[in-house]
Amino acid sequence: MRLRTSLRGTAIGLGCAMSAASAVERHGWYVGLEAGWVHVNDTELPAWEYSEIQFENRWGALGTAGYAFDGNWRMEFEAGYRNNDVHSILNDGTLTFPADGELTEWTGFFN
């Protein structure tokens, strides 16, 4: 029982020390860039009698720029892009190939 209490106290002490170390305020301008793999699930458009549309896996990117004020307040803008080509389209069970088209998405976010 005493060992368990001792270990719990050590874990709590380390957690508080790590929280204090990560609580350092940073302020000023910052930028960020992210990129990754984008997968789009198969979809359908019943109004156009497309029973299944399959997309190729591609890439996407996200850029961030902002300013961090004192007191952990921030103002930032994010912009993103992704593009997936259409792989195939099933039209009521009949394969339409080669499919021509793409799904392109631009996003923007102000926080």
Side-chain angles (χ1 to χ4, degrees), residues 22-108:
S22 65
V24 175
E25 287 190 36
R26 298 190 176 143
H27 52 276
W29 290 101
Y30 62 91
V31 294
L33 182 62
E34 301 174 34
W37 172 73
V38 177
H39 170 79
V40 177
N41 292 330
D42 296 346
T43 190
E44 60 183 50
L45 292 173
W48 291 0
E49 299 178 357
Y50 293 151
S51 57
E52 185 176 297
I53 302 172
Q54 297 176 344
F55 296 91
E56 294 180 2
N57 296 328
R58 296 288 296 266
W59 61 275
L62 177 74
T64 304
Y67 187 84
F69 299 97
D70 292 333
N72 293 324
W73 287 93
R74 294 177 179 227
M75 178 178 55
E76 76 179 19
F77 177 75
E78 293 180 358
Y81 171 81
R82 75 176 194 181
N83 178 280
N84 295 82
D85 288 336
V86 174
H87 176 68
S88 64
I89 298 174
L90 287 174
N91 190 355
D92 284 339
T94 305
L95 182 63
T96 303
F97 194 81
D100 186 26
E102 62 183 29
L103 172 65
T104 301
E105 181 176 275
W106 288 92
T107 61

Side-chain angles (χ1 to χ4, degrees), residues 5-28:
T5 305
S6 172
L7 291 175
R8 192 176 303 145
T10 303
I12 291 172
L14 287 174
C16 290
M18 290 174 68
S19 294
S22 65
V24 175
E25 287 190 36
R26 298 190 176 143
H27 52 276

